[in-house]
């Protein structure tokens, strides 16, 4: 089969390209930054340059493919450029899905996120749950719009699309807030952990497998949560300490204190730019929040079977340590 992958230089997209090529498929990789395309060419992917917000570039890359993996997204918490998040996550998704419809592409997989649920407040929702706001950060909001106001209406009009909703994705090569926290921990400068923060930790290779299964086996029009085990950040660092010998932080910051700091940061950032880790929306996002999802449906229909935290955390920590 011949597939187009958007976001092919990203954390999930690059590993998806590699796995598809390993399985004998042809891959067209849509790449925004030409300087990042060398590794994809070496793997054997056909590289096309262009931005997903550019309809002509998307259509040109999409011609003659059997399916589309729309993985591209802008994932930055504390990002001051809110318009860039909207352009990529909403308008970019609209351009890709409309191009699919225009060209009559027979199959597509769109990468949404359980972030569209926002803070699940300890609950573990399935695909039937729908959060209606408010949102803690602009990433949640723009992914919600792309999911519910772009993808689902196009599915209702007949677009042959499957939606996958990963949990918090981690693994070697990650560049997210999780990566930053793990590096701070390994350097011994993470003095405290935000209390109550709990994620569905999903190893990147399992997410890639879920994408491919969704393309091959998923029911058109359905959404599938790809979520690993729900584990608190405090427990993650305890396991990390067992694996590395680096002591985990003993202090835990109460969610109420982080919420108060978020309010203060909101006032400060009107006057002076704050680093992403101290931005008000970052603090809101880690104030005792839980990002959880029930992947039972993906298990039944896609064979999705995420690994336990320790199994994925060990190679992740080894990778991060090698790059300190």
């Amino acid at each position: 089969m011949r597939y187009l992958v958007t976001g092919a230089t990203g954390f999930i997209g690059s590993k998806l390209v590699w796995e598809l090529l390993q399985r004998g498929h042809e891959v067209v990789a849509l790449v925004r930054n030409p300087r990042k395309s060398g590794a994809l060419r070496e793997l054997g992917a056909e590289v096309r340059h262009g931005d997903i917000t550019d309809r002509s570039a998307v259509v040109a890359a999409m011609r003659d493919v059997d399916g589309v993996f729309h993985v591209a997204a802008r994932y930055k918490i504390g990002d001051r450029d809110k318009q860039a998040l909207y352009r990529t996550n909403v308008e970019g998704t609209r351009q890709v899905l409309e191009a699919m419809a225009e060209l009559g592409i027979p199959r597509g997989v769109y990468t949404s996120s359980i972030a569209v649920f926002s803070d699940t407040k300890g609950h573990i929702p399935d695909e039937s749950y729908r959060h209606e706001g408010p949102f803690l950060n602009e990433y949640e909001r723009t992914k919600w719009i792309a999911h519910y106001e772009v993808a689902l209406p196009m599915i209702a009009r007949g677009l042959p699309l499957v939606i996958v909703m990963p949990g918090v994705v981690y693994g070697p090569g990650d560049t997210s807030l999780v990566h930053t926290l793990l590096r701070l921990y390994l350097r011994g400068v993470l003095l405290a952990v935000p209390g109550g923060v709990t994620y569905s930790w999903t190893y990147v290779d399992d997410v890639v497998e879920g994408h491919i299964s969704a393309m091959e086996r998923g029911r058109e029009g359905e959404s599938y949560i790809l979520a690993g085990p729900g584990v608190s950040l405090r427990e993650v660092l305890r396991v990390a300490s067992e694996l590395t010998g680096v002591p985990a932080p003993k202090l835990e910051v109460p969610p109420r204190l982080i919420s108060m700091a978020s309010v203060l940061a909101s006032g400060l950032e009107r006057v002076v730019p704050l680093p992403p880790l101290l931005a008000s929306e970052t603090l809101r996002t880690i104030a005792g929040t839980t990002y959880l999802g029930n992947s039972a449906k993906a298990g039944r229909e896609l064979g999705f079977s995420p690994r336990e935290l320790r199994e994925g955390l060990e190679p992740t920590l080894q990778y991060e340590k090698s790059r300190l």
Side-chain angles (χ1 to χ4, degrees):
M1 303 290 280
R2 180 176 169 86
Y3 294 117
L4 171 68
V5 178
T6 70
T9 61
F11 180 40
I12 298 172
S14 61
K15 295 181 185 300
L16 175 60
V17 169
W18 184 89
E19 187 61 33
L20 289 169
L21 290 168
Q22 290 298 303
R23 298 187 186 195
H25 299 294
E26 296 179 32
V27 174
V28 180
L30 184 60
V31 176
R32 183 170 58 88
N33 187 344
R35 290 176 296 177
K36 295 184 177 181
S37 60
L40 293 169
R41 282 200 175 91
E42 290 178 9
L43 287 174
E46 178 183 332
V47 175
R48 300 289 185 89
H49 295 134
D51 194 288
I52 59 171
T53 59
D54 180 350
R55 172 70 73 87
S56 61
V58 172
V59 169
M62 198 179 290
R63 293 192 187 278
D64 302 319
V65 301
D66 301 300
V68 172
F69 289 96
H70 176 40
V71 186
R74 186 177 178 91
Y75 175 54
K76 288 191 176 181
I77 309 299
D79 191 350
R80 290 191 292 271
D81 192 348
K82 310 303 184 189
Q83 291 184 344
L85 280 160
Y86 188 90
R87 281 196 305 271
T88 299
N89 296 345
V90 178
E91 293 303 328
T93 296
R94 193 187 314 278
Q95 296 298 335
V96 171
L97 300 190
E98 287 183 352
M100 273 187 64
E102 177 183 327
L103 296 176
I105 303 300
R107 188 81 164 164
V109 171
Y110 164 56
T111 310
S112 181
S113 169
I114 65 169
V116 301
F117 298 153
S118 190
D119 179 8
T120 62
K121 303 183 186 303
H123 298 292
I124 308 176
D126 63 16
E127 293 83 355
S128 66
Y129 175 69
R130 177 164 169 158
H131 176 69
E132 297 291 354
F135 299 98
L136 298 177
N137 57 65
E138 192 68 3
Y139 175 75
E140 292 176 2
R141 190 182 78 87
T142 55
K143 290 297 283 186
W144 188 97
I145 295 170
H147 185 123
Y148 293 103
E149 297 184 356
V150 178
L152 289 185
M154 291 198 66
I155 286 172
R157 295 196 294 269
L159 188 70
L161 190 69
V162 179
I163 299 176
V164 293
M165 305 170 66
V168 171
V169 185
Y170 73 103
D174 179 24
T175 59
S176 72
L177 180 61
V178 168
H179 149 81
T180 302
L181 288 171
L182 289 178
R183 285 181 65 87
L184 290 173
Y185 154 71
L186 288 170
R187 289 167 53 198
V189 295
L190 185 65
L191 302 180
V193 61
V197 174
T198 304
Y199 301 143
S200 285
W201 296 80
T202 321
Y203 191 66
V204 63
D205 290 0
D206 299 332
V207 173
V208 166
E209 187 64 37
H211 276 69
I212 296 173
S213 295
M215 178 66 78
E216 295 175 348
R217 301 162 54 183
R219 288 185 289 138
E220 291 179 7
E222 293 294 321
S223 297
Y224 296 94
I225 292 173
L226 306 179
V231 183
S232 70
L233 186 56
R234 184 179 183 88
E235 176 65 11
V236 168
L237 293 177
R238 187 193 68 77
V239 174
S241 182
E242 291 179 358
L243 292 170
T244 66
V246 178
K250 294 181 179 179
L251 296 177
E252 187 173 283
V253 185
R256 181 173 294 183
L257 189 59
I258 299 175
S259 294
M260 291 171 58
S262 174
V263 174
L264 292 173
S266 180
L268 277 174
E269 61 196 7
R270 294 192 185 100
V271 182
V272 60
L274 295 177
L277 272 178
L278 298 178
S280 60
E281 75 167 24
T282 303
L283 295 172
R284 283 196 303 273
T285 303
I286 61 171
T289 50
T290 65
Y291 287 83
L292 302 170
N294 183 340
S295 61
K297 178 180 174 183
R300 292 191 307 270
E301 299 188 17
L302 306 182
F304 179 68
S305 180
R307 69 198 66 194
E308 291 300 317
L309 175 72
R310 183 181 292 267
E311 186 181 350
L313 194 57
E314 187 168 14
T316 304
L317 291 167
Q318 290 173 352
Y319 175 89
E320 295 293 356
K321 284 177 66 177
S322 70
R323 282 156 178 77
L324 287 177

